[in-house]
Amino acid sequence: MGEAFEENATMRLKKAIVFSLCAIALILHLAGSAHAQAGPPFLTNDPGTPGNANWEINLGSMQTISRGVSSYEVPQIDLNFGLGDRIQLTYEVPYVLQSSSGQPVQSGWSNGYPGLKWRFLDEGEDGWQMSTFPQVETGASMRARQKGIVAPGPRYLLPLEVTKKIGPFDVDFEAGYYLAGYGPRERILGFVAGRPVTKQLELDVEIYDDRADDAAPHSTTLDLGGRYKLARGLIALFMAGRSLNGFARSQPEFMGYFGIQILLSNYGRTFGAE
């Protein structure tokens, strides 16, 4: 039975790799001219910042559906403010609705994520860009911990983000590790590739690996997503994906993000392409 399970897992991984390569090929075939990026709706972050005194506000809904457990972050709030051209202040927090088989729905505010991003290398849009984005996973109330909708805290995430234009498309990579604090040791790896297909629509493919020592999560996911410019400073965000590890041990059968990005420049004026 173990050999059969490993064989099935290998087949699923091969299919996922083929699917990912086909998606990248489609994106390249339809390529446009603007710059693609990680960040919401994706799990991977990039070195981009809003610019001095500018706001980037992401309001979304994140769904993760697994066997026996479903989690909905409604809303997922992500606030970003630029200090100079290379520094970003961030605060993220979701309101969680979680359902388990045979159990009542649990809800409440989950862990917050204040952070500061610094893009310490910037060779322009076609060159290398690198940043670090330390964040704190804050603690939460005893009631929220008893409900099982938050992780122990605080914990401290120290990641590195890299962006580079490779040929006709953009690639974003992030690697990070949760340092000393409450909860398990955990590391993250994220990869996003893609580019716009029209002046309004951008499509990307993401592979994300999140592994904790002797605890959940322990998963690798594949997703497709993008952004659609609705108006100046107003962008629709979307993403859908699934686990590459099968669906046992609470691996996500479906994960998705749907939301809106609001861009505000100095003193409330909007900015962004038409």
Side-chain angles (χ1 to χ4, degrees), residues 172-252:
D172 299 286
F173 174 77
E174 182 179 37
Y177 194 82
Y178 282 91
L179 303 177
Y182 292 94
R185 291 178 295 178
E186 183 178 349
R187 67 111 176 104
I188 58 171
L189 295 172
F191 172 87
V192 175
R195 62 177 303 165
V197 297
T198 70
K199 291 183 178 181
Q200 287 77 35
L201 177 63
E202 169 198 323
L203 293 178
D204 305 88
V205 59
E206 176 183 40
I207 296 178
Y208 193 82
D209 189 79
D210 187 353
R211 296 182 183 258
D213 293 348
D214 302 320
H218 190 168
S219 65
T220 304
T221 53
L222 171 70
D223 61 78
L224 296 174
R227 303 171 178 88
Y228 186 84
K229 295 178 182 177
L230 299 171
R232 184 176 177 86
L234 195 64
I235 301 172
L237 309 173
F238 56 93
M239 178 270 284
R242 50 161 286 176
S243 170
L244 296 181
N245 305 118
F247 300 137
R249 300 185 300 276
S250 300
Q251 302 296 326

Side-chain angles (χ1 to χ4, degrees), residues 110-224:
S110 188
N111 306 84
Y113 288 87
L116 185 149
K117 183 193 293 184
W118 173 41
R119 187 171 65 255
F120 57 85
L121 177 65
D122 192 340
E123 297 181 344
E125 187 170 311
D126 294 334
W128 289 97
Q129 297 186 36
M130 300 179 69
S131 68
T132 184
F133 191 10
Q135 291 181 278
V136 179
E137 182 182 55
T138 65
S141 67
M142 178 61 70
R143 183 176 181 183
R145 292 198 298 269
Q146 291 173 345
K147 291 180 179 180
I149 59 174
V150 299
R155 291 195 301 168
Y156 307 95
L157 174 63
L158 183 60
L160 177 71
E161 297 82 26
V162 180
T163 292
K164 181 68 171 70
K165 191 174 184 66
I166 300 177
F169 65 104
D170 298 285
V171 173
D172 299 286
F173 174 77
E174 182 179 37
Y177 194 82
Y178 282 91
L179 303 177
Y182 292 94
R185 291 178 295 178
E186 183 178 349
R187 67 111 176 104
I188 58 171
L189 295 172
F191 172 87
V192 175
R195 62 177 303 165
V197 297
T198 70
K199 291 183 178 181
Q200 287 77 35
L201 177 63
E202 169 198 323
L203 293 178
D204 305 88
V205 59
E206 176 183 40
I207 296 178
Y208 193 82
D209 189 79
D210 187 353
R211 296 182 183 258
D213 293 348
D214 302 320
H218 190 168
S219 65
T220 304
T221 53
L222 171 70
D223 61 78
L224 296 174

